[in-house]
Amino acid sequence: MKVLVIGSGAREHALCHSLSLDPDVTALHCAPGNAGIAEVAQLHPVDALDGAAVAELAVGLGAELVVVGPEAPLVAGVADAVREAGIPVFGPSKEAAQLEGSKAFAKDVMAAAGVPTARSYVCTTAEEVTEALDAFGAPYVVKDDGLAAGKGVVVTEDVEQATAHAAGCERVVIEEFLDGPEVSLFAITDGETVVPLQPAQDFKRALDGDEGPNTGGMGAYSPLPWADPKLVEEVLETVLQPTVDELRRRGTPFSGLLYAGLAITSRGVRVIEFNARFGDPETQVVLARLKTPLAGVLLAAANGTLADLAPLRWSEDAAVTVVVASHNYPGTPRTGDPITGLAEVAAEDAPHAYVLHAGTRRDGDAVVSAGGRVLSVTAVGGDLSEARERAYRAVDRIGLDGSQHRTDIAAKAAREAAAARA
């Protein structure tokens, strides 16, 4: 089949990487893409937020499946425009994407579906914010109600910082702090059947030891050797299926990728947030472990035939991804710096390690930085220790002036897994 992927980040490169390895994919296109995606797909300079332009491109290419990667086009209704053109699309409607587009809407859906989540208040005035912060106490969790590209959440002990963040949002959700480790669990759904993927853990803080400001994600790993073996089954029953059922009941069926951000608290699993698309950088490690060809799975979700799909097959290997970010990220990043070492990674580390591009572009013969998170260096290995070793060996080959990356991605889990084996 001919497949068109919408987006330009490392998540879309991960999707294109997997689709390019699928024997059923005869032609692969991406709009607008990036310098890395250009190596596996034909790029098209289309505005990802323009539904009419995306639909026109899909029709012109004869695309048989369109995969919408990022949240902003989904919330803007791009999937609806493609569906109206009669082309199967992987991604929820504008209405269903409000599950990510509005934290308040997501809380309402969870309440109706009986999904366990943090207690919260939706605030629109300074007085309501003060009352909510007082009610919960520190640490304070303050979330912009709308899309904020992974930077709309502040978790802080400082009430002034919490208040200042709330003041910068039109509508804000303030909720109780959830203790315990966080887990990302993706599920593919056609609006009825829900097929969970393997769980992953990502690292939101900029610096080692979970210090520094929140980012869009500095790395991830899968599987989670410390997690309860029944976790996926439990989340499917208590979170994912009830949410999909509730949205269908409301007349806004959700098809595409439902992403549950979870806290494994002392009182059980709680939902931190929902996203309406593959997460970045977790997609990089989850797809690295998926053995079932991807295109057929996404098409089944788009066509409403997931119930007929054979169970997904997974590699026993572990996967680790390390994000290389530009100078000053997550502040205003410096761009235009040349990136070196990409050919060396391809020559020396493939197929166990490879580079997925996030914020890059071509400048003549050079590849240069074009965003905050620039690359996702991804590796697989027999266990987390081997996957980490391969990922960081590849990171060491890459040159990007002023760049930064965390050195402790999956380190604790790898140590604990090694100790358990010993």
Coordinates of all heavy atoms in Angstrom, one line a residue, residues 268-319:
G268 N -2.5 2.4 43.8 CA -2.9 1.8 42.5 C -2.6 2.7 41.4 O -2.0 3.8 41.5
V269 N -2.9 2.2 40.2 CA -2.7 2.9 38.9 C -3.6 4.1 38.8 O -4.8 4.0 39.0 CB -2.9 2.0 37.7 CG1 -2.7 2.7 36.4 CG2 -1.9 0.8 37.7
R270 N -3.0 5.3 38.5 CA -3.8 6.5 38.2 C -3.4 7.1 36.9 O -2.2 7.1 36.6 CB -3.6 7.5 39.3 CG -4.0 7.1 40.7 CD -5.5 7.1 40.9 NE -6.0 6.7 42.2 CZ -6.2 5.5 42.7 NH1 -5.9 4.5 41.9 NH2 -6.6 5.3 43.9
V271 N -4.3 7.6 36.2 CA -4.0 8.3 34.9 C -3.6 9.7 35.2 O -4.2 10.5 35.9 CB -5.3 8.4 34.0 CG1 -4.9 9.2 32.7 CG2 -5.7 6.9 33.6
I272 N -2.4 10.1 34.7 CA -1.9 11.5 34.8 C -2.5 12.3 33.6 O -2.9 13.4 33.8 CB -0.3 11.5 34.7 CG1 0.3 10.7 35.8 CG2 0.2 12.9 34.7 CD1 1.8 10.4 35.6
E273 N -2.4 11.7 32.4 CA -3.0 12.4 31.2 C -3.2 11.4 30.1 O -2.7 10.3 30.1 CB -1.9 13.5 30.8 CG -0.6 12.8 30.2 CD 0.3 13.9 29.7 OE1 0.0 15.0 29.6 OE2 1.4 13.4 29.3
F274 N -4.0 11.8 29.2 CA -4.2 11.1 27.9 C -3.6 11.9 26.8 O -3.7 13.2 26.8 CB -5.7 10.9 27.6 CG -6.4 9.8 28.4 CD1 -7.5 10.1 29.1 CD2 -5.8 8.5 28.3 CE1 -8.1 9.0 29.8 CE2 -6.5 7.5 29.0 CZ -7.6 7.8 29.8
N275 N -3.0 11.2 25.8 CA -2.7 11.9 24.6 C -3.4 11.1 23.4 O -3.7 10.0 23.6 CB -1.1 11.8 24.3 CG -0.4 12.8 25.3 OD1 -1.0 13.8 25.7 ND2 0.8 12.4 25.6
A276 N -3.5 11.8 22.3 CA -4.3 11.3 21.2 C -3.4 10.8 20.0 O -3.8 10.7 18.9 CB -5.3 12.3 20.7
R277 N -2.1 10.5 20.4 CA -1.2 10.2 19.3 C 0.0 9.4 20.0 O 0.2 9.4 21.2 CB -0.7 11.4 18.6 CG -0.4 12.6 19.4 CD 0.8 12.6 20.3 NE 0.8 13.6 21.3 CZ 1.7 13.7 22.2 NH1 2.7 12.9 22.3 NH2 1.7 14.7 23.2
F278 N 0.9 8.8 19.2 CA 2.1 8.2 19.7 C 2.9 9.3 20.4 O 3.0 10.4 20.0 CB 2.9 7.7 18.5 CG 2.5 6.4 17.9 CD1 1.8 6.3 16.8 CD2 2.8 5.2 18.6 CE1 1.4 5.1 16.2 CE2 2.5 4.0 18.1 CZ 1.8 3.9 16.9
G279 N 3.5 8.8 21.6 CA 4.3 9.7 22.4 C 5.8 9.8 21.8 O 6.2 8.8 21.3
D280 N 6.4 10.9 22.1 CA 7.8 11.0 21.7 C 8.6 11.4 22.9 O 8.3 12.4 23.6 CB 7.9 12.2 20.6 CG 9.2 12.4 20.1 OD1 10.2 11.9 20.6 OD2 9.3 13.2 19.1
P281 N 9.6 10.6 23.4 CA 10.4 9.6 22.6 C 10.0 8.1 22.8 O 10.7 7.2 22.4 CB 11.8 9.8 23.2 CG 11.5 10.2 24.6 CD 10.2 10.9 24.7
E282 N 8.8 7.8 23.5 CA 8.5 6.4 23.8 C 8.3 5.6 22.5 O 8.6 4.4 22.4 CB 7.3 6.3 24.7 CG 7.4 7.0 26.0 CD 6.8 8.4 26.0 OE1 6.9 9.1 25.0 OE2 6.1 8.7 27.0
T283 N 7.7 6.3 21.5 CA 7.4 5.6 20.2 C 8.7 4.9 19.6 O 8.7 3.8 19.1 CB 6.9 6.6 19.1 OG1 5.7 7.1 19.7 CG2 6.6 5.9 17.8
Q284 N 9.8 5.6 19.8 CA 11.1 5.1 19.3 C 11.5 3.8 19.8 O 12.0 2.9 19.1 CB 12.2 6.2 19.6 CG 12.1 7.5 18.8 CD 11.2 8.5 19.3 OE1 10.0 8.3 19.6 NE2 11.7 9.7 19.5
V285 N 11.2 3.6 21.2 CA 11.6 2.3 21.8 C 10.5 1.2 21.6 O 10.8 0.0 21.4 CB 12.0 2.4 23.3 CG1 13.3 3.2 23.4 CG2 10.9 3.1 24.1
V286 N 9.2 1.6 21.6 CA 8.1 0.7 21.5 C 8.2 0.1 20.1 O 8.1 -1.2 19.9 CB 6.8 1.3 21.8 CG1 5.6 0.4 21.4 CG2 6.7 1.7 23.2
L287 N 8.3 0.9 19.0 CA 8.3 0.4 17.7 C 9.6 -0.4 17.4 O 9.6 -1.3 16.5 CB 8.2 1.5 16.6 CG 6.8 2.2 16.6 CD1 6.8 3.2 15.5 CD2 5.7 1.2 16.5
A288 N 10.7 -0.1 18.1 CA 11.9 -0.9 17.9 C 11.7 -2.3 18.3 O 12.5 -3.2 17.9 CB 13.0 -0.2 18.7
R289 N 10.7 -2.6 19.2 CA 10.5 -3.9 19.7 C 9.3 -4.6 19.0 O 9.1 -5.8 19.3 CB 10.3 -3.9 21.2 CG 11.5 -3.3 22.0 CD 11.2 -3.4 23.5 NE 10.9 -4.8 23.9 CZ 9.9 -5.1 24.7 NH1 9.0 -4.2 25.1 NH2 9.7 -6.4 24.9
L290 N 8.6 -3.9 18.2 CA 7.4 -4.5 17.5 C 7.8 -5.3 16.3 O 8.5 -4.8 15.4 CB 6.4 -3.4 17.1 CG 5.2 -3.9 16.4 CD1 4.3 -4.7 17.3 CD2 4.4 -2.7 15.9
K291 N 7.5 -6.6 16.3 CA 7.9 -7.5 15.2 C 6.8 -7.6 14.2 O 7.0 -7.8 13.0 CB 8.2 -8.9 15.7 CG 9.5 -8.9 16.6 CD 9.7 -10.3 17.2 CE 10.3 -11.3 16.2 NZ 10.7 -12.5 16.9
T292 N 5.5 -7.4 14.6 CA 4.4 -7.4 13.6 C 4.6 -6.2 12.6 O 4.8 -5.1 13.1 CB 3.1 -7.3 14.3 OG1 2.9 -8.3 15.2 CG2 1.9 -7.3 13.3
P293 N 4.5 -6.4 11.3 CA 4.6 -5.3 10.4 C 3.5 -4.2 10.7 O 2.4 -4.5 11.0 CB 4.3 -5.9 9.0 CG 4.7 -7.3 9.2 CD 4.4 -7.7 10.6
L294 N 4.0 -2.9 10.7 CA 3.2 -1.8 11.3 C 2.0 -1.4 10.4 O 0.9 -1.1 10.9 CB 4.1 -0.6 11.5 CG 3.4 0.6 12.2 CD1 2.9 0.3 13.6 CD2 4.5 1.7 12.3
A295 N 2.2 -1.4 9.1 CA 1.1 -0.8 8.2 C -0.2 -1.5 8.4 O -1.3 -0.8 8.4 CB 1.6 -0.8 6.8
G296 N -0.2 -2.8 8.4 CA -1.5 -3.6 8.5 C -2.2 -3.3 9.8 O -3.4 -3.3 9.9
V297 N -1.4 -3.1 10.9 CA -2.0 -2.8 12.2 C -2.7 -1.4 12.2 O -3.9 -1.2 12.6 CB -1.0 -2.8 13.3 CG1 -1.6 -2.5 14.7 CG2 -0.2 -4.1 13.4
L298 N -2.0 -0.4 11.6 CA -2.6 1.0 11.5 C -3.8 1.0 10.6 O -4.8 1.7 10.9 CB -1.5 1.9 11.1 CG -0.2 2.0 11.9 CD1 0.7 3.1 11.4 CD2 -0.5 2.2 13.4
L299 N -3.7 0.2 9.5 CA -4.8 0.2 8.5 C -6.1 -0.5 9.2 O -7.2 0.0 9.0 CB -4.4 -0.5 7.3 CG -5.5 -0.6 6.1 CD1 -5.8 0.9 5.7 CD2 -5.0 -1.4 5.0
A300 N -5.9 -1.5 10.0 CA -7.0 -2.2 10.7 C -7.7 -1.2 11.6 O -8.9 -1.2 11.7 CB -6.5 -3.4 11.4
A301 N -6.9 -0.4 12.3 CA -7.5 0.6 13.2 C -8.3 1.6 12.4 O -9.4 2.0 12.7 CB -6.4 1.3 14.0
A302 N -7.8 2.0 11.2 CA -8.4 3.0 10.4 C -9.7 2.5 9.8 O -10.7 3.2 9.6 CB -7.5 3.5 9.3
N303 N -9.7 1.1 9.5 CA -10.8 0.5 8.8 C -11.8 -0.2 9.7 O -12.8 -0.7 9.3 CB -10.3 -0.6 7.8 CG -9.8 0.0 6.5 OD1 -10.1 1.2 6.2 ND2 -8.9 -0.7 5.8
G304 N -11.6 -0.1 11.0 CA -12.5 -0.8 12.0 C -12.4 -2.3 12.0 O -13.4 -2.9 12.4
T305 N -11.2 -2.8 11.7 CA -11.1 -4.3 11.6 C -10.1 -4.9 12.6 O -9.5 -5.9 12.4 CB -10.8 -4.8 10.2 OG1 -9.6 -4.1 9.8 CG2 -11.9 -4.4 9.2
L306 N -9.8 -4.1 13.7 CA -8.8 -4.6 14.6 C -9.1 -5.9 15.3 O -8.2 -6.7 15.6 CB -8.6 -3.5 15.8 CG -7.5 -2.5 15.6 CD1 -7.5 -1.6 16.8 CD2 -6.2 -3.1 15.3
A307 N -10.4 -6.2 15.4 CA -10.8 -7.5 16.1 C -10.4 -8.7 15.3 O -10.2 -9.8 15.8 CB -12.3 -7.5 16.3
D308 N -10.1 -8.5 14.0 CA -9.7 -9.6 13.1 C -8.2 -9.8 13.1 O -7.7 -10.7 12.5 CB -10.2 -9.3 11.7 CG -11.7 -9.1 11.6 OD1 -12.4 -9.7 12.4 OD2 -12.2 -8.4 10.7
L309 N -7.5 -8.9 13.7 CA -6.0 -8.9 13.7 C -5.4 -10.0 14.6 O -5.9 -10.2 15.7 CB -5.5 -7.5 14.1 CG -4.1 -7.1 13.7 CD1 -4.1 -6.8 12.1 CD2 -3.7 -5.8 14.4
A310 N -4.4 -10.7 14.1 CA -3.7 -11.6 14.9 C -3.0 -10.9 16.1 O -2.7 -9.7 15.9 CB -2.7 -12.4 14.1
P311 N -2.8 -11.6 17.2 CA -2.1 -10.9 18.3 C -0.7 -10.3 17.9 O 0.0 -10.9 17.0 CB -1.9 -12.0 19.3 CG -3.0 -13.0 19.0 CD -3.2 -13.0 17.5
L312 N -0.4 -9.2 18.4 CA 0.9 -8.6 18.0 C 2.1 -9.4 18.5 O 2.0 -10.0 19.6 CB 1.0 -7.2 18.7 CG -0.1 -6.1 18.2 CD1 0.2 -4.8 18.9 CD2 -0.1 -6.0 16.7
R313 N 3.1 -9.4 17.7 CA 4.4 -10.1 18.1 C 5.4 -9.1 18.5 O 5.6 -8.1 17.9 CB 4.9 -11.0 16.9 CG 3.9 -12.1 16.5 CD 4.4 -12.9 15.3 NE 4.4 -12.1 14.1 CZ 5.6 -11.8 13.5 NH1 6.7 -12.1 14.0 NH2 5.5 -11.1 12.4
W314 N 6.1 -9.5 19.6 CA 7.1 -8.6 20.2 C 8.5 -9.2 20.3 O 8.6 -10.4 20.6 CB 6.7 -8.1 21.6 CG 5.4 -7.3 21.5 CD1 4.2 -7.7 21.6 CD2 5.4 -5.9 21.3 NE1 3.3 -6.6 21.5 CE2 4.0 -5.5 21.3 CE3 6.3 -4.9 21.0 CZ2 3.6 -4.2 21.0 CZ3 5.9 -3.6 20.8 CH2 4.5 -3.2 20.8
S315 N 9.5 -8.5 20.1 CA 10.9 -8.9 20.4 C 11.1 -9.0 21.9 O 10.6 -8.2 22.6 CB 11.9 -8.0 19.7 OG 13.2 -8.2 20.2
E316 N 11.9 -10.0 22.3 CA 12.3 -10.1 23.7 C 13.4 -9.1 24.0 O 13.8 -8.9 25.2 CB 12.8 -11.5 24.0 CG 11.8 -12.6 23.9 CD 10.7 -12.4 25.0 OE1 11.0 -12.1 26.2 OE2 9.5 -12.5 24.6
D317 N 14.0 -8.4 23.0 CA 15.1 -7.5 23.2 C 14.6 -6.2 23.9 O 13.4 -6.0 24.0 CB 15.6 -7.0 21.9 CG 16.6 -8.1 21.2 OD1 16.9 -9.0 21.9 OD2 17.0 -7.9 20.1
A318 N 15.5 -5.5 24.5 CA 15.2 -4.2 25.2 C 15.6 -3.1 24.2 O 16.5 -3.3 23.3 CB 16.0 -4.1 26.4
A319 N 15.0 -2.0 24.4 CA 15.3 -0.8 23.5 C 15.5 0.4 24.4 O 14.8 0.6 25.4 CB 14.2 -0.6 22.5

